Amino acid sequence: GGRVTAICKMLFCGFCFVLIAVQANYAPYFFDNGDRSTNGNMALLSLSEDTPIGTHVYTLNGTDPEGDPVTYSLAYEAGSRHYFSVDKHLGNVTLIEELDREKEDEIEVIVSISDGLSTNIHANKFTIDRHSGVLRIKTGVALDYEKSRTHFVIVVAKDGGGKLRGHNKMFSATTTVTVNVEDVQDTPPMFIGTPYYGYVYEDTLAGSEVLTVVALDGDRGKPNSIHYCIVNGSESSFEISNTTGAISVIKSPNQLKKEVYELKVQASEVSQEGDISVYAFATVTIRVVDLNNHPPTFYGENGPQNQFELTMYEHPPEGEILRGLKITVNDSDQGANAKFNLRLVGPGGIFRVVPQTVLNEAQVTIIVENSAAIDYEKFKVLTFKLLAIEVNTPEKFSSTADVGIRLLDTNDNVPKFSSDYYVARIPENSPGGSNVVAVTATDPDSGLWGEVKYSIYGTGADLFLIHPSTGIIYTQPWATLDAEVNSKYNFYVKAEDTDGKYSLAEVFITVLDVNDHSPEFNENIQEKTMIIGSPVKIEAIDQDAEEPNNIVDYSIMQADPANVFDIDQSTGEIKLKSYIRSLDIIHNITKNKDCIWSLVVQAKDRGSPSFSTTAVLKIDITEEVRPMAAFLMQTKDNPMKALGVLAGVMGIMVMITVMISTAMFWRNKRSNKIMPVRRIIKKRQTHPPRMVRMEWLKLRRPNSAAEKFIVKEDTRNENSNNNAQAGAALPPTPSPPPPPALTSAAAAPTWHVPTVSGSLTPTFINKQLKKKGLGGAHSALVSELKMKFEKRNTALGDLHI
């Protein structure tokens, strides 16, 4: 808005009058005193959220270039709350609504200044008669002294041109008409600075002035005086000055029954004659403001209380309300002084309090938030503090209450073993009823729920028992443990409470070996044949289950003569002393020509105490023999080995024969033609006769060591029957062929047939062979071989190579 200045110029002519209205306008503006100023355009104003309602927070200030009076106003966005009011004449801004930074930390207000005009451009209010020049007010237009006291009208007068004078030139003239508007008593009084808010504080004295209302006569030319009065709403608690408009409280604040009073005040114009002509009304709001002099206080059922107790079972459902706690909190102050927060101080995350923010008074509710933490086994009593602290007051008054919750136990735990498995060891010679191991399980529940009963089950539990209360595992009274039969047992042990809740653990029992067996020699160690340069081995087995009880050491206890044999302590191999390399050396040591010695050997285990076994071993010493004879010698004590090798060779030969026959069959079958028989006769080569010598073992006891084995020359031809009877006459021995010529490159090989001493019949038969039923067949085979060798020896006589 701005002031309108009308300038009128009048131009005279012979034919017409033209009225031209020219208006000029300049808008009012605010003083900008900075963002921290309290006087200006209210830009970037900052307020504390605890500012009391009714406080004068700012003064709008501006001016109009034309010097017209200005008015102020505030505007808000649609739907937003109105926090401030402004005196439109004085520019005083007052807080009318409580601030809360947590809800709204920024408020937008549109401030405006106006000089009272709706725009900068106004329509012309006057008209002039074209012929008479009479200036009139337009129809329907009224002049308002309060809005514009003077109007300037420019009048233009033009002539008809130079037609009357014989030329076309036109002349005109202008003049300005000033129209002054006189004021009349047509406007009622106006209150300045509305709306009005006043405050009575708790310490305000009776008779104190609360606020002053101001009203002006709307007719500014000749204003009348103003008379004030309270129409209603004071309830005999407030009064107003008739002349000044000052409102005072006439009672002490503690006698005021209401928190807010709304007074209706009338302002009337009094003429110079003393008559009351027109009047206006305004509403005055007076709030009784309490001082912050009371802290929040907790109340129980019987009044103020700062200790509360409750008994409940452990692990209540989450979200459950602790209904046994009857707690109320109150702050007897008013407004912002009575606003405070509630919170719990103590074990975090177990409970939460509702509400968290209170105004004046509330019922306190405590809700379970973490059921698992409310555990009787961890806490018998839960204690925490309930804290109430003011929010918006400088004093921050607070108070606390102690809350104790006594927990009751429930059967919420299962028995738990001290270990997931138990390992025990017991000697095998332990008597029945011996303790093995003690298992332990605990149940943290109280009373009968915490009592544990033990039991065992599983396939390995047959030889064991468990005490149901102590958890001691022991062997059955009749049980006999033998590490050689079974050295490992495992089973499950169960711990169960009276409500049927249980847990399991696994038990592993090892039966410890005790040295209760002596080493035992194999039965075939009574006689051994030793070839010079090769050892013989004895073996003893200890039936104990574990080392060192089943580890056997060997030694020679007695030998005659001494210093002939050595024995390996670990393997039982018996060797001749390193200097004995031939039978001649043995003959020099002893006069025993048959070279058979008896040794006393010992097998001793390493247990504690140690057990040992001795045996007499006869060793027959001979020199190296040929492979077949050596094989027979080696298998003398194990004839099944010889039989197995023989059967294997025969099987291979049968397979080769079958394969050749099959190939020939399929070859002949595939041929479709009958081929003529072609016979090629070659001349037989003649060779000088030669004598075939067969070497046989003579199985008789020689008179001396050198005559143990004597090989006789076979007098029969190559095709002689090996199954000839013992009494048949033998053909004469043919003369030997001439010896072949010897060259330097090769010499005639010399055949050395080893000899075997002793009988092929074993002195005993292995137990395993007896069990398999092979003893009869084996004896028959050996007997047949023996008969053949004896017949052969008789036929050969004493000839030997």
Side-chain angles (χ1 to χ4, degrees), residues 451-740:
E451 294 183 1
V452 179
K453 181 181 179 181
Y454 299 97
S455 59
I456 58 175
Y457 66 95
T459 56
D462 297 339
L463 299 181
F464 303 93
L465 297 173
I466 189 170
H467 194 281
S469 300
T470 63
I472 297 176
I473 298 175
Y474 54 94
T475 59
Q476 294 273 12
W478 46 264
T480 300
L481 301 178
D482 190 346
E484 289 74 38
V485 176
N486 190 358
S487 62
K488 303 290 183 182
Y489 296 89
N490 79 291
F491 49 85
Y492 291 94
V493 58
K494 178 180 181 181
E496 183 177 13
D497 64 15
T498 55
D499 215 16
K501 295 184 177 181
Y502 68 91
S503 62
L504 302 176
E506 195 167 4
V507 178
F508 298 88
I509 297 177
T510 300
V511 179
L512 299 177
D513 183 41
V514 176
N515 194 22
D516 55 354
H517 292 83
S518 300
E520 295 181 0
F521 283 106
N522 292 338
E523 296 180 359
N524 59 356
I525 73 161
Q526 295 179 0
E527 292 186 6
K528 293 286 185 179
T529 299
M530 177 183 291
I531 300 173
I532 294 178
S534 300
V536 295
K537 184 177 181 180
I538 62 174
E539 185 178 11
I541 298 176
D542 194 312
Q543 298 296 331
D544 287 313
E546 298 177 358
E547 297 180 357
N549 297 335
N550 58 5
I551 297 179
V552 178
D553 293 330
Y554 302 93
S555 62
I556 298 175
M557 304 299 295
Q558 184 178 352
D560 186 19
N563 299 324
V564 174
F565 299 98
D566 286 329
I567 188 169
D568 189 293
Q569 178 182 350
S570 301
T571 63
E573 289 186 348
I574 302 176
K575 299 179 180 179
L576 292 172
K577 295 288 185 178
S578 59
Y579 65 87
I580 302 178
R581 300 179 181 176
S582 65
L583 290 177
D584 295 335
I585 298 176
I586 296 177
H587 292 162
N588 294 332
I589 297 174
T590 178
K591 296 181 179 180
N592 189 356
K593 299 302 182 181
D594 58 4
C595 297
I596 296 178
W597 282 275
S598 294
L599 304 179
V600 178
V601 292
Q602 180 189 63
K604 183 178 182 181
D605 63 29
R606 297 183 184 180
S608 178
S610 178
F611 293 98
S612 62
T613 302
T614 58
V616 177
L617 174 65
K618 293 182 179 180
I619 297 180
D620 188 359
I621 302 176
T622 183
E623 291 183 334
E624 182 180 4
V625 295
R626 291 299 181 182
M628 179 59 69
F631 173 74
L632 293 176
M633 289 290 295
Q634 292 175 1
T635 58
K636 180 182 72 171
D637 297 330
N638 190 4
M640 289 303 298
K641 183 175 181 181
L643 183 61
V645 173
L646 181 61
V649 173
M650 294 177 64
I652 293 174
M653 294 179 64
V654 170
M655 290 178 62
I656 294 174
T657 303
V658 171
M659 292 174 64
I660 294 175
S661 300
T662 304
M664 295 296 294
F665 171 76
W666 286 107
R667 178 183 178 184
N668 295 333
K669 187 175 182 180
R670 290 175 183 174
S671 177
N672 294 326
K673 296 181 180 181
I674 300 176
M675 303 298 293
V677 178
R678 298 180 63 186
R679 187 173 183 181
I680 300 175
I681 300 175
K682 292 184 179 182
K683 184 178 181 181
R684 184 186 301 271
Q685 296 180 357
T686 58
H687 297 282
R690 67 175 174 158
M691 183 170 293
V692 179
R693 297 188 180 187
M694 298 295 293
E695 298 177 355
W696 293 93
L697 301 178
K698 181 179 182 182
L699 301 179
R700 66 179 180 81
R701 181 72 64 182
N703 294 328
S704 63
E707 298 176 354
K708 275 187 178 180
F709 299 98
I710 301 175
V711 180
K712 299 296 184 177
E713 188 177 42
D714 193 352
T715 57
R716 294 176 295 176
N717 58 22
E718 289 181 334
N719 297 323
S720 63
N721 186 2
N722 293 334
N723 295 325
Q725 299 297 325
L730 296 176
T733 302
S735 59

Side-chain angles (χ1 to χ4, degrees), residues 726-751:
L730 296 176
T733 302
S735 59
L742 296 179
T743 63
S744 59
T750 302
W751 292 84

